Amino acid sequence: MFKPLGGLLWSLLLSSLAHDNAGRAPSISPRTMKHMCPRPVLRDNAISTSIHYHGLRMLNANTQDGVNGVTECPIPPGSRKTYTFLANQYGTAWYHSHFPLQYGNGVLGPIVIKGPASADYDTDLGPLVLSDWYYGSVFEIAHRVNNPSNPFIPNFPGSPPASDNVLFNGRNINPDGSGGTYTRKTLTKGKKHLLRLINTSLQNAFTVSLVGHTFQVVATDMVPIKPITRNHLFLGIGQRYDVIINANQPTANYWFNVTFSALPCGQSDNPYPAAIFSYSGASSASLPTQRGVAPPDSRCAAPERDYSPIVSRSADVNSFAPTTSHTLNVDLTVDNSQARVFWPVNNSPLRVNWQEPTLRYVANNTLSSVPRSRNLIQIPGSNTLTYFLLQNNSPIPHPIHLHGHDVMILGSSPPLADPLAETQIREYNPNTDKSTLKGNNPPRRDTTMLPAWGWLLVAWRTNNPGVWLFHCHVGWHVSQGLGVQVLERLDALRDGGGGSLGTVEQNCGNWAGWYPGSTWKQDDAGL
Ligand SMILES: [Cu+2]
């Protein structure tokens, strides 16, 4: 049974990951930071949690990935867990609860690991966290999203509500004008400013633009790229961009605008979500005067093809041929017997068991008894490329996130103008689609969009032993089953290549003692 979070006390402690003496460097080089120990501590008497570090690869540290039911048991009230890992990337990431939907109630935050950038800048403005926000508890809203007979959009089972607001670093004015404050960032005229954009939403995808200015993009998620200038940027859920803003306009205040696609990847009841970028010297009491022009509809997709990573990786696309075991078919279904909406993958909605994390099966050599509902896929090879083709048999686009890796985005079908008017998937067709694939240094990131009624082809190298969640980052959808677990390099994982498997049990005893008497019972994917 779901319970609202209202009135409960949270204490989430996370030591800063910023490395304040690692400034810019003239060229890209890896930096390694040791002894980073984020310490989320839950003090609460009614609910568990599990903290995931979105975008951090957890190289050889799968046991620290923070996914309840996969890499650990949930952290019950009164218990604690210290996550320990080597931060071997730099850039912009975020942490969030992987307990179902919980991050939609605010259990999230940005992570910045400072390092070099692929273009020069003067000032690091830090993160700008963009989040949809709902006045009710998302646990309560979930009842209606899951109920096929009472959807938020009539006759569309599973349709979610529009967000009540959009927050910028946790703040905004109330859309009805009754209170709140705009988030402001300060620009210095003549200077270049690095800004770290993060979409931490439960459901909303955003297009962002800054009136009178452009964005020089230098990183996609945690992958530095050759600098490329954009007038506006689309951010699916979980995605980040590091951008440089050149303050070359007259001293004034400027709107930083969020706009939405007309397609089904997010709407808000705030018609004009915005923050304010003020040149130093401009009146901090006044609002910007130029409202700006809305960018073209994103169609829920980023034009990612031109993003060229600085560190090149390539995949052989000519020899790619779809296989049943590496094709993931995504559907929207209604189970009338349960009166529930599901998002199954290959006809199976994912459901983990909090009491039986998948890594326990690895440790105990009992993988043959893993139930079908865990959607566990063991992939072959060691340090070889693995390919996955995703096919979306629905009109809803999905932000697809892989834990433990950046994926090469080899290709995807073009976004449709009006997917709700369509009824047929365009499956990947080698005869016509192979020539559109990009294998030579393709865009690379940890989250990318699966188009409505279309396909997405990604690849990664099996160089990180672990059980990695591969899922849609719409909170509703993963809770309704849209995900699989990928088991990579089992032998190395058994030998401690993902960290000591003994740590998997750390909170399981406490959790098993608490859960039977709690009023909170798993009734979804558990993620
Ligand atoms: Cu989805």
Side-chain angles (χ1 to χ4, degrees):
M1 186 180 77
F2 283 125
K3 286 182 64 177
L5 255 186
L8 304 178
L9 176 66
W10 278 90
S11 174
L12 191 72
L13 306 178
L14 193 85
S15 68
S16 171
L17 283 172
H19 192 260
D20 56 13
N21 59 4
R24 288 180 298 134
S27 62
I28 299 289
S29 64
R31 283 172 185 273
T32 304
M33 281 154 283
K34 296 182 179 178
H35 311 303
M36 297 299 179
C37 300
R39 291 179 298 146
V41 178
L42 176 72
R43 295 201 188 93
D44 178 273
N45 61 6
I47 190 172
S48 304
T49 197
S50 182
I51 302 293
H52 169 64
Y53 304 86
H54 182 123
L56 301 190
R57 283 199 60 202
M58 296 296 162
L59 183 63
N60 302 120
N62 179 239
T63 57
Q64 307 302 298
D65 202 37
V67 186
N68 46 203
V70 177
T71 61
E72 65 185 38
C73 293
I75 307 166
S79 293
R80 67 172 57 207
K81 173 164 182 156
T82 299
Y83 295 88
T84 306
F85 52 89
L86 192 66
N88 58 358
Q89 303 146 280
Y90 55 85
T92 306
W94 57 301
Y95 66 89
H96 64 80
S97 169
H98 233 300
F99 195 84
L101 301 168
Q102 194 175 43
Y103 81 87
N105 283 339
V107 188
L108 62 89
I111 297 173
V112 171
I113 302 176
K114 292 201 172 183
S118 60
D120 285 338
Y121 63 90
D122 300 295
T123 306
D124 187 345
L125 293 175
L128 186 58
V129 177
L130 311 170
S131 314
D132 54 9
W133 188 249
Y134 303 86
Y135 293 154
S137 163
V138 294
F139 299 123
E140 287 295 315
I141 297 169
H143 290 303
R144 190 168 163 194
V145 178
N146 291 334
N147 180 354
S149 62
N150 188 25
F152 281 90
I153 299 171
N155 304 315
F156 208 115
S159 54
S163 62
D164 290 301
N165 206 343
V166 175
L167 304 184
F168 300 79
N169 284 348
R171 298 199 313 192
N172 200 351
I173 61 160
N174 190 323
D176 71 8
S178 63
T181 51
Y182 285 110
T183 285
R184 285 180 184 258
K185 289 276 189 184
T186 302
L187 301 175
T188 303
K189 189 172 172 64
K191 299 293 187 186
K192 293 179 176 175
H193 306 75
L194 181 71
L195 182 68
R196 303 162 181 276
L197 299 164
I198 315 173
N199 183 349
T200 65
S201 291
L202 197 70
Q203 193 268 341
N204 281 181
F206 303 126
T207 293
V208 300
S209 55
L210 177 60
V211 175
H213 297 77
T214 58
F215 302 123
Q216 186 184 34
V217 185
V218 294
T220 54
D221 298 342
M222 297 193 88
V223 178
I225 64 165
K226 292 174 191 159
I228 186 168
T229 298
R230 293 277 192 250
N231 293 320
H232 48 85
L233 288 167
F234 171 84
L235 288 101
I237 300 165
Q239 290 186 321
R240 291 90 66 209
Y241 286 105
D242 290 353
V243 301
I244 295 172
I245 297 168
N246 188 2
N248 57 4
Q249 295 298 303
T251 295
N253 297 313
Y254 295 89
W255 287 119
F256 180 95
N257 289 318
V258 159
T259 49
F260 293 91
S261 172
L263 275 61
C265 63
Q267 291 290 317
S268 179
D269 287 337
N270 182 345
Y272 301 110
I276 297 173
F277 279 56
S278 296
Y279 280 55
S280 57
S283 166
S284 60
S286 60
L287 296 178
T289 53
Q290 301 295 319
R291 196 162 120 182
V293 177
D297 192 309
S298 65
R299 296 184 178 176
C300 306
E304 290 172 329
R305 198 178 175 83
D306 294 334
Y307 294 140
S308 294
I310 298 283
V311 177
S312 177
R313 297 278 183 268
S314 292
D316 178 7
V317 291
N318 291 320
S319 63
F320 168 74
T323 61
T324 305
S325 61
H326 284 220
T327 299
L328 305 178
N329 289 293
V330 172
D331 279 281
L332 171 61
T333 62
V334 172
D335 183 332
N336 287 313
S337 67
Q338 299 182 61
R340 284 289 293 254
V341 172
F342 288 103
W343 281 99
V345 179
N346 293 347
N347 300 314
S348 172
L350 173 63
R351 186 181 173 98
V352 300
N353 184 334
W354 292 330
Q355 305 175 73
E356 297 174 354
T358 310
L359 283 183
R360 181 186 294 166
Y361 291 86
V362 173
N364 294 346
N365 253 319
T366 53
L367 281 167
S368 60
S369 64
V370 171
R372 170 77 180 94
S373 58
R374 308 292 168 83
N375 284 6
L376 183 65
I377 300 172
Q378 184 172 353
I379 58 177
S382 172
N383 211 31
T384 56
L385 282 179
T386 197
Y387 297 75
F388 270 89
L389 176 67
L390 292 89
Q391 301 200 128
N392 183 3
N393 194 26
S394 86
I396 313 296
H398 302 282
I400 301 295
H401 172 49
L402 176 65
H403 293 207
H405 291 276
D406 298 314
V407 296
M408 286 185 272
I409 304 163
L410 304 180
S412 61
S413 51
L416 302 175
D418 188 5
L420 291 174
E422 310 268 341
T423 56
Q424 280 289 312
I425 185 174
R426 276 83 159 158
E427 290 188 350
Y428 175 79
N429 179 345
N431 295 329
T432 53
D433 293 329
K434 182 170 275 190
S435 63
T436 71
L437 301 178
K438 182 178 183 183
N440 180 20
N441 197 23
R444 205 161 73 236
R445 62 192 317 169
D446 56 60
T447 310
T448 191
M449 296 300 294
L450 170 61
W453 297 119
W455 56 270
L456 166 70
L457 178 63
V458 299
W460 70 89
R461 192 164 288 280
T462 52
N463 55 14
N464 196 4
V467 178
W468 303 111
L469 197 61
F470 190 25
H471 68 102
C472 175
H473 219 295
V474 172
W476 313 117
H477 294 174
V478 64
S479 157
Q480 291 164 332
L482 209 174
V484 299
Q485 304 180 66
V486 177
L487 172 56
E488 175 175 332
R489 295 185 63 177
L490 174 60
D491 290 345
L493 186 60
R494 281 209 183 101
D495 289 343
S500 168
L501 292 174
T503 63
V504 174
E505 301 295 332
Q506 187 183 349
N507 275 302
C508 292
N510 288 347
W511 198 83
W514 171 81
Y515 184 66
S518 78
T519 55
W520 197 288
K521 295 293 183 262
Q522 180 179 352
D523 78 341
D524 64 0
L527 296 164

